């Protein structure tokens, strides 16, 4: 029989959880159970690969210490890894005993979280050990407390050896519904994924690759935007008739792109660019489709204004001159 202990505390000398685990370990070893302890705070980046250690386990002890609010973070990481990378079929046959010692409020809530998490993974939970410890020395010297811990360890042994049945839980039903919408991995794929997730070098390289790709596609998008917008500017420059006599500045607001084309006809050469002008002589508001129709010669600025496809602000008499200055048709 194999029992794995997963300790999610900080490993402090006065942590009462360590005393409980040592007592459980002694009892199980006397019963000739092979016990392996994993101190999550020491393994750290390798925690995501730990679900693979469940393969040979018949029972597990999930132990954490409540020092502030809820279970320790490393225990949460381990449970998350079991959900993503663990072999659910194997976990369904593993008995779990929760151990939660608290130096503050919240030991029962943390124990319930462990039980819910394990049952959602499909595993079987047994009666756990849960206590508030005000003084660690007094707790360790109490023979009654030690007797309770020893009895719970023996009960775990009995549950595993007798393959005791457990009553159905709604948590299992929730797990089944969630799994219907999740991606199915084979045990081999889960093992590979967990190894990759715990490999810092691999994870950093993946992040760097993602950032590089994101930058690449961002540049592509920006380049495409420029390619789309440039023809408008080039088209105005191509047909510009400086002899038409229009001496003004105009701002074209492209409604669907939320951009502005600035046309400065006060100089010998047309100044054409994207940007926003504070006080233009004329402001024209239209969509890109209408502007493209005008550029293609299918319409004109004055015709678009008369149809209501375009609005203008400023001297309306400039519109006819505007068509003469930019004779697209």
């Amino acid at each position: 029989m194999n029992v794995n202990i997963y300790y999610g505390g900080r490993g402090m000398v006065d942590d009462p959880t360590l005393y409980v685990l040592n007592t459980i370990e002694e009892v199980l070893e006397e019963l000739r159970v092979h016990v392996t302890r994993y101190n999550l705070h020491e393994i750290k980046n390798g925690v995501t690969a730990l679900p693979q250690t469940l393969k040979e386990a018949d029972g597990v002890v999930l132990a954490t210490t409540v020092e502030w609010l809820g279970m320790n973070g490393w225990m949460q990481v381990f449970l998350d890894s079991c959900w993503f990378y663990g072999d659910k079929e194997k976990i369904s046959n593993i008995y779990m005993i929760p151990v939660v010692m608290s130096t503050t409020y919240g030991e029962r809530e943390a124990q319930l979280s462990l039980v819910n998490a394990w049952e959602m993974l499909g595993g079987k939970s047994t009666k756990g050990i849960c206590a508030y410890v005000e003084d660690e020395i007094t707790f360790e010297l109490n023979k009654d407390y030690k007797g309770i811990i020893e009895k719970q360890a023996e009960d775990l042994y009995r549950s595993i050896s007798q393959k005791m049945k457990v009553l159905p839980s709604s948590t299992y039903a929730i797990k089944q519904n969630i799994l219907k919408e999740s991606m199915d991995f084979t045990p081999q794929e889960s093992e590979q994924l967990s190894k990759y997730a715990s490999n810092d070098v691999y994870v950093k390289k993946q992040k760097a690759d993602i950032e590089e790709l994101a930058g690449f596609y961002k540049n592509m998008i920006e380049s495409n935007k420029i390619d789309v917008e440039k023809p408008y500017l080039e088209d105005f420059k191509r047909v510009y008739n400086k002899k038409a006599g229009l001496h003004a500045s105009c701002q074209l607001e492209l409604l669907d792109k939320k951009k502005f084309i600035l046309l400065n006809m006060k100089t010998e050469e047309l100044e054409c660019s994207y940007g926003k002008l504070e006080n233009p002589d004329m402001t024209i508001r239209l969509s890109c489709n209408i502007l493209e129709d005008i550029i293609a010669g299918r319409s004109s600025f004055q015709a678009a204004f008369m149809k209501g496809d375009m609005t203008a602000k400023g001297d309306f008499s400039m519109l006819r001159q505007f068509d003469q200055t930019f004779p697209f048709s």
Side-chain angles (χ1 to χ4, degrees), residues 60-320:
V60 298
V61 178
L62 299 184
T64 187
T65 308
V66 177
E67 297 178 289
W68 176 59
L69 182 66
M71 71 176 76
N72 185 280
W74 290 118
M75 179 57 71
Q76 186 65 60
V77 172
F78 171 68
L79 291 170
D80 287 346
S81 301
C82 289
W83 175 257
F84 289 114
Y85 311 120
D87 184 344
K88 308 296 192 304
E89 186 176 347
K90 173 59 185 173
I91 293 175
S92 66
N93 296 314
I94 300 177
Y95 291 83
M96 184 276 294
I97 175 174
V99 174
V100 180
M101 295 292 108
S102 172
T103 57
T104 182
Y105 174 79
E107 68 279 0
R108 295 189 182 278
E109 288 79 359
Q111 183 189 32
L112 182 60
S113 296
L114 288 177
V115 171
N116 286 340
W118 192 253
E119 290 182 352
M120 191 170 287
L121 288 167
K124 300 177 174 68
S125 60
T126 63
K127 187 177 179 182
I129 301 171
C130 175
Y132 166 71
V133 180
E134 187 174 3
D135 180 67
E136 188 242 345
I137 301 299
T138 305
F139 180 77
E140 290 184 13
L141 294 176
N142 192 307
K143 293 182 180 180
D144 292 332
Y145 294 162
K146 185 174 183 180
I148 294 172
I149 297 168
E150 290 174 343
K151 185 180 183 304
Q152 292 304 112
E154 291 169 0
D155 286 345
L156 174 63
Y157 174 80
R158 293 190 189 95
S159 297
I160 297 171
S161 59
Q162 297 173 14
K163 298 189 182 299
M164 292 184 66
K165 300 295 181 182
V166 295
L167 293 171
S169 167
S170 60
T171 313
Y172 179 77
I174 294 172
K175 172 227 173 189
Q176 291 299 98
N177 290 333
I178 293 174
L179 283 180
K180 285 177 185 176
E181 300 177 2
S182 65
M183 187 178 294
D184 251 348
F185 295 114
T186 65
Q188 291 78 14
E189 288 172 332
S190 294
E191 183 173 2
Q192 287 180 329
L193 286 169
S194 64
K195 287 179 180 177
Y196 288 140
S198 62
N199 187 324
D200 269 353
V201 176
Y202 175 82
V203 171
K204 286 177 182 177
K205 186 177 184 306
Q206 291 300 302
K207 287 182 179 178
D209 289 345
I210 290 169
E211 288 175 3
E212 185 179 347
L213 281 171
F216 173 73
Y217 285 115
K218 183 180 179 183
N219 291 335
M220 278 186 64
I221 291 169
E222 290 176 351
S223 298
N224 288 337
K225 283 182 179 177
I226 292 171
D227 290 339
V228 170
E229 293 166 351
K230 269 188 175 179
Y232 295 159
L233 304 184
E234 296 302 321
D235 286 328
F236 278 103
K237 290 177 182 178
R238 176 174 51 83
V239 301
Y240 179 52
N241 179 16
K242 52 189 173 184
K243 296 180 182 179
L246 186 58
H247 187 76
S249 61
C250 180
Q251 178 174 268
L252 272 69
E253 182 179 352
L254 305 178
L255 300 175
D256 40 356
K257 282 189 175 291
K258 296 182 180 179
K259 288 185 177 293
F260 298 87
I261 297 177
L262 302 182
L263 302 173
N264 184 11
M265 296 159 282
K266 294 181 180 180
T267 58
E268 186 69 15
E269 295 295 329
L270 174 67
E271 294 179 359
C272 184
S273 63
Y274 281 91
K276 193 172 182 180
L277 198 63
E278 289 297 327
N279 296 301
D281 295 317
M282 182 168 58
T283 297
I284 293 174
R285 303 177 79 239
L286 73 173
S287 68
C288 290
N289 289 336
I290 299 301
L291 178 59
E292 287 167 7
D293 283 344
I294 294 171
I295 291 173
R298 294 188 292 269
S299 183
S300 66
F301 286 101
Q302 189 173 13
F305 176 74
M306 296 300 292
K307 290 178 183 177
D309 293 334
M310 180 188 90
T311 60
K313 182 180 178 182
D315 188 354
F316 296 123
S317 64
M318 294 170 60
L319 282 176
R320 179 173 294 180

